[in-house]
């Protein structure tokens, strides 16, 4: 059989990114990507380009230049010389003809007038400068955890328990000695690439279409950072989950409803293509989890060649019964799944509880708005530490004071919260980490917070500390600027002009 070449798949790669291929053609592309790094890189580039071009967003007008700078350029260098020095400069032109004296006097008068006007305008600008200091921000973590939990709910590879546990007090989940137990590995024949791909695709579909009631357990983190918890859950497709979250000792920590948000802009197909572009899928049959027959699917990182994730998928329903995540050293950093489950395949009659997460009044922006927000001074990029931008939101579309950005590669998820203001102090329960350059807190998800210039950054991730450090390293860590007289004048003039033209 003739081996598929890169040239043969030139057009199919683009159609693959657009999700326009039939199953057979898609399997052909996936198989080729598993052995061709050049084509994987091409697919990643096409995927990023598609995200940016999905919807356009016009850039706003640029701010006008300051009036003071324009007046100074008109006046020339003499305008910057103090008027008190003029009497001592008469010898330079005292012997000139009378007509020249008059001309120079007129020039001096003009310069004096310009200098006076410049000083007047500068004074007006200084007085009109905003006097409000940057708002003091207390711990942003609760709001960031809510955003992070909502982002995880959009990813079919994420655990419902991890998203729910991110919303509770992390100290109550601390369990350094918790056991990272998981089902036994599969013992049957190895899955082909196409078979493993099809099983994972089926699990993505089951995550939003199969109802169930059961109990889940989770252990996350390494060493003293380890956390553990459990959850009773009842999921109704199209509605969401009623959950009761408990700590490692069984104490109830939260009881409420997690709505199933629309899967936009993170479509299942996009997540699936992110995973197949970065990971090779394999696995085996004849596995067991909570007494149900399952297949085991593994994701091997193309970058490191190491096992990154493992799923036990129910043969009957397609539900993910258990899953594990691994760090770059091969250590388990997350082990979570069902300890009991009953598949409903229908709508539950159970009434929805009160919402578990905080009210959400953020504005969702298109991913193509990222360059516009970047031009406005926000640290918003389509790629961050090898992860793709999958969700972009703000507290207002016109002049936002904060921006929420979520990045993922299908397995590791990072949420970045950038807000104007000054951090009021070290967040509770945090410790300064020199490697990250931030106050870091452990828990189900790692959280880092720091001040950069006139903004506060908060990063939360379900990845390990290395992933947190990589992301923080690519974000600004600027010193807080000291206010200057000229800066105040420029701010005041800009404020006046904006009021006049606005």
């Amino acid at each position: 059989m003739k081996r598929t070449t890169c040239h043969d798949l030139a057009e199919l790669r683009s159609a693959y990114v657009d999700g326009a291929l039939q199953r057979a053609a898609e399997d052909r592309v996936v198989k080729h990507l598993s052995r061709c790094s050049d084509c994987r890189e091409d697919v990643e580039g096409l995927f990023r380009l598609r995200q940016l071009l999905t919807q356009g967003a016009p850039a706003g007008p640029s701010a006008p230049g300051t009036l003071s700078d324009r007046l100074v350029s008109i006046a020339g260098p003499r305008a910057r010389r103090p008027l008190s020095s003029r009497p001592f400069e008469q010898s330079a032109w005292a012997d000139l003809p009378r007509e020249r004296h008059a001309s120079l006097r007129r020039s001096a008068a003009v310069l004096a007038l310009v200098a006076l006007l410049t000083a007047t305008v500068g004074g007006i600008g200084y007085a009109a400068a905003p006097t409000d200091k940057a708002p003091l921000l207390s711990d942003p973590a609760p709001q960031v955890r809510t955003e992070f939990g909502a982002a995880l709910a959009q990813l079919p590879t994420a655990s419902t328990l991890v998203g729910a546990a991110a919303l509770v007090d992390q100290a109550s989940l601390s369990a350094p000695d918790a056991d990272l137990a998981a089902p036994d590995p599969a013992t049957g024949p190895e899955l082909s690439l196409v078979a493993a791909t099809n099983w994972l695709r089926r699990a993505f579909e089951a995550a939003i279409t199969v109802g169930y009631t059961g109990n889940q357990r989770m252990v996350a983190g390494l060493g003293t950072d380890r956390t553990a918890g459990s959850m009773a859950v009842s999921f109704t497709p199209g509605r969401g989950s009623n959950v009761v979250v408990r700590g490692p000792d069984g104490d109830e920590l939260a009881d409420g409803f997690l709505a199933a948000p629309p899967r936009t802009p993170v479509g299942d197909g996009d997540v699936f293509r992110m995973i197949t572009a970065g990971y090779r899928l394999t696995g085996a049959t004849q596995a067991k989890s909570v007494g149900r027959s399952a297949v085991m699917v593994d994701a091997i990182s193309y970058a490191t060649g190491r096992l990154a994730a493992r799923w036990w998928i129910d043969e009957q329903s397609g539900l993910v019964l258990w899953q594990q995540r691994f760090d770059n050293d091969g250590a388990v950093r997350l082990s979570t799944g069902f300890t009991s489950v009953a598949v409903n395949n229908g709508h539950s009659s159970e009434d929805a509880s009160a919402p578990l997460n905080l009210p959400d009044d953020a504005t969702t922006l298109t991913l193509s708005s990222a360059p516009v927000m970047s031009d406005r001074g926000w640290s918003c990029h389509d790629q961050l530490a090898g992860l793709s931008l999958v969700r972009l939101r703000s507290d207002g579309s016109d002049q936002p004071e904060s921006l929420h950005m979520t990045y993922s590669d299908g397995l590791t998820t990072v949420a970045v919260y950038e807000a104007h203001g000054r951090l009021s102090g070290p967040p509770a329960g945090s410790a300064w980490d020199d490697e990250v350059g931030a106050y870091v807190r452990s828990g189900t998800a790692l959280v880092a917070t720091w001040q950069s210039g006139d903004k506060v950054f908060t990063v939360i991730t379900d990845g390990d500390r290395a992933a947190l450090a990589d992301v923080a390293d690519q974000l600004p860590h600027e010193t807080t600027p000291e206010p200057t007289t000229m800066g105040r004048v420029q701010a005041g003039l800009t404020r006046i002009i904006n009021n006049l033209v606005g």
Side-chain angles (χ1 to χ4, degrees), residues 5-265:
T5 65
C6 300
H7 179 73
D8 295 336
L9 296 180
E11 295 185 2
L12 291 182
R13 288 196 297 271
S14 178
Y16 172 74
V17 170
D18 292 333
L21 294 179
Q22 298 295 325
R23 178 64 59 83
E26 186 175 85
D27 291 342
R28 181 184 174 198
V29 173
V30 170
K31 185 177 295 185
H32 179 77
L33 291 177
S34 68
R35 58 175 181 266
C36 180
S37 59
D38 289 340
C39 286
R40 287 197 304 273
E41 183 175 349
D42 183 49
V43 166
E44 291 174 357
L46 289 172
F47 178 72
R48 292 194 295 270
L49 180 61
R50 176 181 177 272
Q51 286 182 310
L52 290 175
L53 297 180
T54 299
Q55 291 183 348
S62 58
T66 63
L67 181 59
S68 61
D69 289 340
R70 295 176 62 189
L71 292 174
V72 170
S73 67
I74 293 173
R78 287 180 61 87
R80 301 185 182 276
R81 298 166 63 181
L83 294 175
S84 59
S85 68
R86 301 299 167 84
F88 303 99
E89 299 175 359
Q90 292 179 359
S91 60
W93 52 279
D95 296 330
L96 295 176
R98 188 178 303 276
E99 293 81 2
R100 187 66 181 275
H101 279 235
S103 175
L104 290 177
R105 287 192 189 97
R106 286 193 296 271
S107 297
V110 170
L111 291 175
L113 179 61
V114 170
L116 178 62
L117 180 59
T118 300
T120 302
V121 171
I124 293 173
Y126 188 90
T131 57
D132 294 336
K133 295 182 179 179
L136 283 177
L137 300 180
S138 57
D139 187 5
Q143 184 176 4
V144 177
R145 290 185 184 279
T146 296
E147 177 71 16
F148 185 68
L152 287 182
Q154 291 190 339
L155 300 172
T157 53
S159 163
T160 304
L161 176 51
V162 171
L167 302 175
V168 304
D169 177 20
Q170 298 300 291
S172 61
L173 297 173
S174 179
D177 299 324
D179 182 18
L180 283 163
D184 293 331
T187 58
E190 181 178 351
L191 293 174
S192 67
L193 173 64
V194 172
T197 299
N198 288 338
W199 274 109
L200 190 59
R201 186 187 287 113
R202 184 183 176 190
F204 281 14
E205 180 181 356
I208 59 174
T209 61
V210 177
Y212 57 82
T213 300
N215 292 280
Q216 296 181 354
R217 180 177 183 270
M218 171 208 70
V219 179
L222 302 171
T224 57
D225 291 341
R226 183 167 294 174
T227 58
S230 61
M231 179 177 73
V233 56
S234 178
F235 172 70
T236 302
R239 292 180 57 196
S241 303
N242 283 312
V243 301
V244 178
V245 182
R246 295 185 173 87
D249 298 328
D251 298 331
E252 183 175 322
L253 304 178
D255 179 0
F257 180 73
L258 292 174
R263 294 186 179 276
T264 56

Side-chain angles (χ1 to χ4, degrees), residues 188-432:
E190 181 178 351
L191 293 174
S192 67
L193 173 64
V194 172
T197 299
N198 288 338
W199 274 109
L200 190 59
R201 186 187 287 113
R202 184 183 176 190
F204 281 14
E205 180 181 356
I208 59 174
T209 61
V210 177
Y212 57 82
T213 300
N215 292 280
Q216 296 181 354
R217 180 177 183 270
M218 171 208 70
V219 179
L222 302 171
T224 57
D225 291 341
R226 183 167 294 174
T227 58
S230 61
M231 179 177 73
V233 56
S234 178
F235 172 70
T236 302
R239 292 180 57 196
S241 303
N242 283 312
V243 301
V244 178
V245 182
R246 295 185 173 87
D249 298 328
D251 298 331
E252 183 175 322
L253 304 178
D255 179 0
F257 180 73
L258 292 174
R263 294 186 179 276
T264 56
V266 190
D268 292 344
D270 289 342
V271 175
F272 178 78
R273 281 185 286 277
M274 280 194 290
I275 291 178
T276 55
Y279 302 90
R280 178 175 61 87
L281 299 180
T282 182
T285 61
Q286 297 180 17
K288 286 281 188 181
S289 181
V290 289
R292 301 175 72 92
S293 297
V295 297
M296 185 182 74
V297 175
D298 291 342
I300 311 296
S301 170
Y302 284 120
T304 65
R306 294 180 179 273
L307 177 64
R310 172 171 286 172
W311 299 272
W312 282 260
I313 301 173
D314 185 26
E315 287 186 352
Q316 181 180 359
S317 66
L319 285 176
V320 173
L321 300 175
W322 200 276
Q323 60 177 302
Q324 288 183 313
R325 304 290 171 84
F326 304 84
D327 64 15
N328 288 335
D329 296 327
V332 179
R333 62 177 174 84
L334 172 66
S335 185
T336 182
F338 287 100
T339 55
S340 64
V341 63
V343 177
N344 300 329
N345 285 324
H347 294 281
S348 171
S349 59
E350 184 178 355
D351 294 332
S353 304
L356 182 62
N357 50 347
L358 297 174
D360 181 13
D361 57 358
T363 300
T364 299
L365 306 177
T366 62
L367 298 184
S368 58
S369 301
V372 177
M373 303 309 293
S374 181
D375 290 342
R376 293 180 179 177
W378 297 94
S379 299
C380 184
H381 312 286
D382 65 312
Q383 289 280 304
L384 187 66
L387 307 176
S388 298
L389 180 67
V390 297
R391 180 177 164 103
L392 179 60
R393 289 149 64 80
S394 74
D395 63 351
S397 57
D398 294 332
Q399 297 293 331
E401 289 296 314
S402 65
L403 202 64
H404 309 251
M405 297 155 282
T406 305
Y407 297 84
S408 182
D409 65 354
L411 296 185
T412 298
T413 302
V414 173
V416 179
Y417 177 72
E418 182 180 358
H420 282 291
R422 292 183 296 122
L423 194 61
S424 60
S430 68
W432 184 260

